[in-house]
Amino acid sequence: MEKNYYFVIGQKNLDVVEAIKLLEAYHLPYRCLEDPYIFTKTEEDALKQQGYEPYYVHVTYRSFPDGEEKFDSSFLYRLIGLLGKTISDWQYDVMTYCEKPFAKEWSNRLRGFVIRERSRSYIEKLQAENRKALGFNDKAEETAIQAVDEAMKRFSSNRDYLIVHWDYKPESSEFESFLPVLDRVFWLQNFVNVLIVTPECALYYGYRDIARDMVTFATATACVTDNMTDFLYSIAHHRMEDAEKFLKTKTAELRKLGLLW
């Protein structure tokens, strides 16, 4: 390694956690920051005085925005290159799965692993390890399992669409905050078409046209969307029944058109 790097790490996902394993294996200095992942100028100057070159990973105001982060620009990929090592199959799959944009490509990448004949247990391990890296605790996992099980009972005769009532407060409005539910729904529907409702907000993931029109049931709060595929918003309590009817109707139309498989 040409420079005497000190790795300063902010927000984590599985790609970053796997990279940290390499840092530890090769005894390279690093520090993991707490949310909101800020590293001050004073701290930076102190590192430089010790002869280190700061290397920032997902650090607020210091790392490049990762909205379009590609496979070969991920931290894990760059670190493997700095170490002059060979990428393992697991590391390759981690980088493929975590490549940005994540929300838009999430279900397609999971399908890609299936097509490449990765076993379900292997893919579920990838999902679970990523959720662990993102910081989900036992409560998030347990309530998600319960919520999905209840939705399956409610929609036992027709799973073209699911409405999952998740008694959990997401940590943020990011797509990844809903993975404990989404990762499990992926295995239950040929095409993910789900409305996840929490005590504070809701996320629809599925068909673009449904996502676009679902916003009519939202409150005045802002919507967050990724290429019109998913929406995150608050749905007024008195509009929830209407939102569910809308999803049911639109899904039935898609079924008649042969757009469900």
Side-chain angles (χ1 to χ4, degrees):
M1 194 174 296
E2 295 181 359
K3 296 184 180 181
N4 189 24
Y5 286 119
Y6 190 104
F7 297 88
V8 183
I9 299 171
Q11 189 173 20
K12 301 182 191 70
N13 59 5
L14 185 54
D15 178 280
V16 174
V17 168
E18 289 296 318
I20 290 174
K21 292 179 182 178
L22 287 178
L23 294 178
E24 293 176 343
Y26 289 92
H27 307 290
L28 298 174
Y30 74 94
R31 175 184 167 189
C32 292
L33 305 177
E34 298 294 330
D35 191 5
Y37 314 117
I38 292 176
F39 196 71
T40 68
K41 182 66 166 58
T42 300
E43 290 172 311
E44 180 182 73
D45 291 341
L47 280 184
K48 291 182 177 180
Q49 288 175 3
Q50 298 173 53
Y52 288 115
E53 177 71 23
Y55 190 115
Y56 296 109
V57 181
H58 300 173
V59 176
T60 305
Y61 305 131
R62 295 186 179 275
S63 302
F64 289 108
D66 63 0
E68 293 298 327
E69 184 176 285
K70 299 302 181 183
F71 180 97
D72 60 0
S73 65
S74 76
F75 178 40
L76 180 56
Y77 184 92
R78 286 177 281 153
L79 181 59
I80 291 172
L82 288 172
L83 293 170
K85 300 301 177 180
T86 301
I87 299 172
S88 70
D89 289 343
W90 171 256
Q91 290 169 336
Y92 181 88
D93 287 343
V94 166
M95 289 186 282
T96 300
Y97 182 57
C98 294
E99 184 180 351
K100 300 293 183 177
F102 185 78
K104 178 182 176 183
E105 298 296 336
W106 164 77
S107 60
N108 287 334
R109 286 181 190 147
L110 290 173
R111 289 193 196 98
F113 291 128
V114 174
I115 292 170
R116 295 203 303 274
E117 298 185 344
R118 295 290 193 260
S119 68
R120 175 167 174 171
S121 61
Y122 179 93
I123 299 170
E124 287 180 331
K125 177 184 177 183
L126 187 68
Q127 293 175 306
E129 290 294 321
N130 186 54
R131 294 197 304 272
K132 181 179 178 181
L134 292 170
F136 288 107
N137 56 25
D138 290 343
K139 179 180 179 181
E141 297 289 351
E142 291 167 2
T143 54
I145 292 172
Q146 181 180 3
V148 173
D149 286 347
E150 291 176 353
M152 290 296 289
K153 292 176 183 177
R154 181 182 175 192
F155 294 91
S156 59
S157 61
N158 176 20
R159 295 172 185 169
D160 287 348
Y161 72 99
L162 284 176
I163 298 172
V164 180
H165 291 271
W166 187 23
D167 187 19
Y168 182 79
K169 179 182 178 182
E171 293 293 330
S172 72
S173 60
E174 299 293 331
F175 170 84
E176 286 85 344
S177 295
F178 293 82
L179 285 177
V181 170
L182 285 167
D183 278 347
R184 292 173 168 92
V185 169
F186 172 80
W187 299 102
L188 304 175
Q189 294 182 295
N190 291 326
F191 189 98
V192 178
N193 182 31
V194 60
L195 176 64
I196 303 171
V197 182
T198 75
E200 294 194 357
C201 59
L203 176 137
Y204 169 76
Y205 191 94
Y207 288 89
R208 182 179 302 180
D209 291 347
I210 293 178
R212 182 193 61 220
D213 295 336
M214 188 75 78
V215 70
T216 59
F217 302 102
T219 63
T221 55
C223 297
V224 179
T225 176
D226 187 296
N227 196 34
M228 301 299 289
T229 302
D230 57 89
F231 268 88
L232 177 68
Y233 38 32
S234 295
I235 296 182
H237 181 73
H238 68 282
R239 299 301 310 278
M240 185 57 62
E241 184 176 349
D242 293 334
E244 293 192 11
K245 289 180 179 178
F246 173 80
L247 179 57
K248 179 179 181 180
T249 299
K250 287 297 181 181
T251 301
E253 293 175 2
L254 291 171
R255 191 186 306 113
K256 289 180 180 179
L257 293 172
L259 296 178
L260 293 175
W261 61 87

